[in-house]
Amino acid sequence: MSDPLFDRLTLIGIGLIGSSIALAARQHGLAKEIVVSTRSEATLRRAEELNLGDSYYLDAAQAVEGADLVILCVPVGANEGVARWIAPALKQGAILTDVGSTKGSVVRQVQPHVPAGVHFIPGHPIAGTEHSGPDAGFASLFENRWCILTPAADIDPAATEKLSAFWRACGSNVDTMDADHHDLVLAIVSHLPHIIAYNIVGTAADLETVTSSEVIKYSASGFRDFTRLAASDPTMWRDICLSNKDAILEMLARFSEDLSALQRAIRWGDGDGLFDLFTRTRGIRRSIIEAGQETDAPDFGRHQSKS
Ligand SMILES: NC(=O)c1ccc[n+]([C@@H]2O[C@H](COP(=O)([O-])OP(=O)(O)OC[C@H]3O[C@@H](n4cnc5c(N)ncnc54)[C@H](O)[C@@H]3O)[C@@H](O)[C@H]2O)c1
Ligand SMILES: O=C(O)C(=O)C[C@]1(C(=O)O)C=C[C@@H](O)C=C1
């Protein structure tokens, strides 16, 4: 157990990520007091039943009063409204951060509302599951995962270091980078795989010659992996697609070109070309495993949300 890094931590939004932060902060003793706020009364009551915090508010502005760390854990499209709401109540010297999967849009939407004297440091833990809601959280979610922070050039390095220490205490490795670069990298490693999964599962669902019961009955592990990603929260992924539009379209264009090349190789029986590509990609998978970033067979079913 570490010494508390913060006196009062406020979490706005208490779904998968908010509840996992609450549990990790509690387990590692990172805050003397955890305040929870969310917009729906039912979710707030559920968070209370799960004992995720010490106090609970529907009013986000009340919830941030006196907090020295405020973490926005809402879908990226909701950040601006929340920022506008809480801005007048933020304490001088507080650190304000978020966990959104995209960073450029969060900066553009939140920064204009941040009062002078508050340190706004956008963040993104690269850890999650396809489940959502307060029941889905677990304290070890961030262990051995990366958390990317995208502080602006004029942010006090001591504030960035304090937030980094928080994430390290949750078990994460911390990197800092520019928000736009984050969005380009995440477009290929996270956003595109989800979009492809939504698309392939949609294609299977629309087939006329293969029935949906056959898709369910014979789905082998490859297709099942896609269905896990395609079961992710629709609001979250709608917001990601809308807020990281340019980087996603750029990666989709490259993907389409490469898919056309693959299509050509199959059409013309280019076995060598296929073998070379599959050998190269197998190497990437092996590098991921060697780097300790592989999470085969996680029992995420245990953390399934009821809400
Ligand atoms: N799920 C993942 O794998 C994952 C991983 C890393 C980052 N993220 C990011 O974390 C954020 C939260 O994702 P999650 O998976 O925890 O989602 P979730 O759906 O489990 O939880 C979202 C929470 O936000 C609340 N909420 C929604 N709109 C709100 C508003 N206007 N005001 C107050 N509360 C509001 C909901 O009631 C809920 O408590 C998103 O920005 C997402 O991009 C998600
Ligand atoms: O493992 C999963 O289910 C996830 O989709 C998690 C995942 C990812 O793509 O790795 C999804 C979105 C987040 O912003 C970060 C992590």
Side-chain angles (χ1 to χ4, degrees):
M1 178 94 70
S2 336
D3 282 342
L5 283 162
F6 295 95
D7 288 332
R8 181 179 289 184
L9 158 64
T10 295
L11 299 164
I12 312 280
I14 195 75
L16 167 72
I17 300 298
S19 62
S20 296
I21 294 174
L23 293 167
R26 180 95 84 196
Q27 179 171 312
H28 301 293
L30 303 180
K32 287 186 190 154
E33 187 190 353
I34 299 174
V35 179
V36 174
S37 175
T38 198
R39 66 177 172 166
S40 113
E41 178 125 34
T43 308
L44 198 65
R45 291 289 78 88
R46 184 64 192 142
E48 193 168 3
E49 282 164 17
L50 293 166
N51 194 26
L52 294 172
D54 300 300
S55 53
Y56 303 86
Y57 296 88
L58 283 174
D59 185 329
Q62 253 183 313
V64 303
E65 273 173 23
D68 42 3
L69 176 61
V70 175
I71 311 184
L72 308 182
C73 305
V74 298
V76 285
N79 276 311
E80 181 166 21
V82 174
R84 193 193 297 269
W85 188 4
I86 64 173
L90 289 167
K91 183 172 108 168
Q92 280 293 296
I95 295 175
L96 172 66
T97 185
D98 77 305
V99 293
S101 303
T102 64
K103 295 275 60 86
S105 75
V106 173
V107 172
R108 286 187 290 279
Q109 288 169 9
V110 173
Q111 187 70 66
H113 305 287
V114 179
V118 170
H119 310 284
F120 174 49
I121 306 169
H124 180 199
I126 316 292
T129 74
E130 69 278 26
H131 302 308
S132 46
D135 287 86
F138 53 107
S140 59
L141 176 64
F142 309 109
E143 285 172 15
N144 203 23
R145 296 312 189 95
W146 283 100
C147 180
I148 298 176
L149 302 181
T150 64
D154 59 353
I155 284 293
D156 179 357
T160 305
E161 178 44 36
K162 197 162 179 197
L163 184 60
S164 302
F166 177 87
W167 281 110
R168 283 196 299 269
C170 292
S172 297
N173 301 307
V174 180
D175 251 351
T176 57
M177 66 178 72
D178 169 68
D180 290 337
H181 186 65
H182 165 281
D183 287 355
L184 209 55
V185 174
L186 268 292
I188 187 65
V189 301
S190 175
H191 306 167
L192 214 60
H194 280 81
I195 289 166
I196 292 165
Y198 282 121
N199 197 56
I200 193 171
V201 176
T203 303
D206 289 345
L207 287 177
E208 280 138 22
T209 45
V210 179
T211 65
S212 55
S213 63
E214 283 173 310
V215 170
I216 293 164
K217 186 168 164 190
Y218 299 119
S219 72
S221 62
F223 187 73
R224 290 178 94 90
D225 287 352
F226 281 116
T227 61
R228 185 185 80 75
L229 290 185
S232 302
D233 188 70
T235 304
M236 168 179 159
W237 284 96
R238 176 203 61 196
D239 286 6
I240 290 172
C241 290
L242 297 179
S243 69
N244 198 23
K245 177 177 160 186
D246 292 345
I248 289 174
L249 288 178
E250 152 111 28
M251 292 305 165
L252 270 175
R254 295 180 76 116
F255 175 81
S256 300
E257 277 179 32
D258 291 343
L259 190 62
S260 298
L262 188 54
Q263 207 173 347
R264 211 165 35 247
I266 295 170
R267 184 182 306 287
W268 296 107
D270 178 7
D272 289 346
L274 294 172
F275 187 85
D276 286 351
L277 173 66
F278 300 161
T279 304
R280 206 151 47 87
T281 57
R282 179 182 243 191
I284 291 173
R285 166 75 178 175
R286 289 185 172 162
S287 313
I288 291 171
I289 292 172
E290 275 162 26
Q293 295 283 316
E294 184 261 348
T295 55
D296 255 357
D299 187 10
F300 287 145
R302 282 178 299 132
H303 311 290
Q304 185 143 21
S305 166
K306 292 192 191 109
S307 61

